[in-house]
Structures are given as C-alpha cells and as structure tokens.
Amino acid sequence: MQKGGREVALLRCGQGRPLAGGCTQLRRPAEHAGQRPALPTCIREIGMKRTYMLALAWLAIGIGIGIGSSARAASTPTTDQLEAHPWQLTRATDAQGKRIDALFVRGRAPYTLRFQPGYMSELNLCNQASSHYHLQDDGLILESGIRTTALCINPKVDAQERRAETLFHGRDTAPTLALDDTGALVVRNAKGEVLVFKPAPLPAK
C-alpha cells in the first residue's frame, strides 16, 4: 500500500480483474493519512476459510495421535504380569457384540482366571479346572486340562460352566491375550468373542 495520493491494490469480489479464489483486483486512490481502509469482504472470507481448514487439519492430526496412542497402549502380557494376581471377568461379548449373559450369575463371585507357574486355573464355576499353559507371542496355549466332576444343582451355574468351557478349550478357540491401557486383561478368541478381566487382590493366606 502507498500513501500520499498514490494508488494501492485492494482485493474485492465482483469487480475489476479476476483473481484466484473468486476475487478481483481493483485499483483506487489510497485513503487519506490517518484513515484506516476497510478490510475488503473477500479477504475476510478467505481468512475465515483458511482458519476453518487449519482447524480441521489440527483436528485430524489430534484424532490420529489419539488412535496411535490407543494402539500403542495395548501390550502382550508377560507370564510375570499374568501370575501377579487373579483376573475377574467384568465384561464378555460374542461376535455380534452382545453380552454373554450366561457367564454372569447374580449372587456368585465372578468367573476368575488364576495363572501360576505353568498352570492356569478357572475359578468360581461349579467345578474347578486347571490346565498347563504357556504363551506363544500373544497366543495362550492350554494343554492337559483337568476338571472336578461335582454335580451342578443350580441350572444357572451349570449353564455358566458349560459356556465357560467354550471360551478357551477346543481347536477353534485360539485365544489371544492383551493388556489394555487400564491394566485389564483382554482375551479374544477365533470365534470373535471378547472377554475383559480386571486384576483382583490375591487371596489372603
């Protein structure tokens, strides 16, 4: 911009020579000294659009960082982490995302996993079960399982035990383990079922 009666170049919409962004260039005498030229409407609109696009870009970056953080937060547990405490079932869903109600019996302690050196026990069912276990990457391998054979009088408890047997045992289960960012143990099997176990205190000696 030049002062003292010399001409200045301004951007306006709808007049003069077309420019990029739908604006045009118009030459007119500069305003008198001390007077502030009005900001052309088109410039204001361009500024608002650029601000809006920058905000969208930063939002996309923030979402990407959040997703990346969540992905990094999940980790494969070690045997030391698994054996540090029992794990109580708090959530279970099938492949369609529906809650597996049979695994929860009102008034009874939750279905619990207990890892000890070389063994995984399943507790708070009608019968107690135990299997040799080892980890292969994030996979849980169970072998040589044994189970008590008490008669389950409560039909809901019986149904719970039968449903629990299908989670980890059988060739089509192939459970994998992960610790999420809250410290919960997340178990997924080949059938698309997802189980979430929270750490529980060790039993009193």
Side-chain angles (χ1 to χ4, degrees):
M1 179 183 293
Q2 300 180 13
K3 295 183 179 181
R6 284 174 289 181
E7 293 181 335
V8 293
L10 297 176
L11 296 178
R12 285 186 178 175
C13 296
Q15 299 182 28
R17 181 164 59 86
L19 295 176
C23 293
T24 59
Q25 187 176 46
L26 175 68
R27 292 189 175 272
R28 72 175 187 187
E31 284 76 1
H32 295 293
Q35 291 183 347
R36 199 172 185 179
L39 185 64
T41 302
C42 191
I43 294 178
R44 289 199 301 269
E45 290 177 352
I46 291 175
M48 290 175 65
K49 290 178 180 178
R50 287 179 177 172
T51 302
Y52 178 70
M53 294 304 293
L54 283 173
L56 287 179
W58 281 111
L59 178 61
I61 292 172
I63 292 173
I65 291 173
I67 293 173
S69 299
S70 297
R72 289 192 297 272
S75 61
T76 301
T78 64
T79 55
D80 287 342
Q81 289 173 315
L82 291 175
E83 295 169 10
H85 35 61
W87 300 90
Q88 293 183 341
L89 182 67
T90 60
R91 190 166 70 251
T93 55
D94 61 18
Q96 287 71 47
K98 183 179 178 181
R99 185 175 186 264
I100 305 176
D101 292 327
L103 291 173
F104 303 91
V105 179
R106 187 182 297 274
R108 284 182 61 89
Y111 173 45
T112 299
L113 303 181
R114 181 74 172 101
F115 292 90
Q116 294 173 290
Y119 291 90
M120 185 195 85
S121 299
E122 298 171 70
L123 309 176
N124 300 330
L125 299 172
C126 177
N127 288 281
Q128 306 303 312
S130 182
S131 304
H132 290 287
Y133 95 92
H134 68 272
L135 302 178
Q136 184 173 319
D137 296 326
D138 64 346
L140 173 65
I141 310 300
L142 299 176
E143 299 171 324
S144 304
I146 59 173
R147 181 182 299 271
T148 60
T149 57
L151 179 64
C152 303
I153 299 175
N154 186 330
K156 291 185 177 180
V157 176
D158 182 58
Q160 179 192 39
E161 179 170 280
R162 291 178 184 276
R163 188 65 178 86
E165 289 178 4
T166 69
L167 301 174
F168 295 97
H169 305 281
R171 294 182 178 180
D172 60 341
T173 55
T176 62
L177 308 180
L179 291 177
D180 68 12
D181 56 353
T182 69
L185 178 65
V186 181
V187 181
R188 294 178 171 84
N189 63 27
K191 294 181 288 187
E193 296 168 332
V194 180
L195 315 171
V196 179
F197 295 84
K198 293 288 188 180
L202 288 168
K205 295 183 178 180

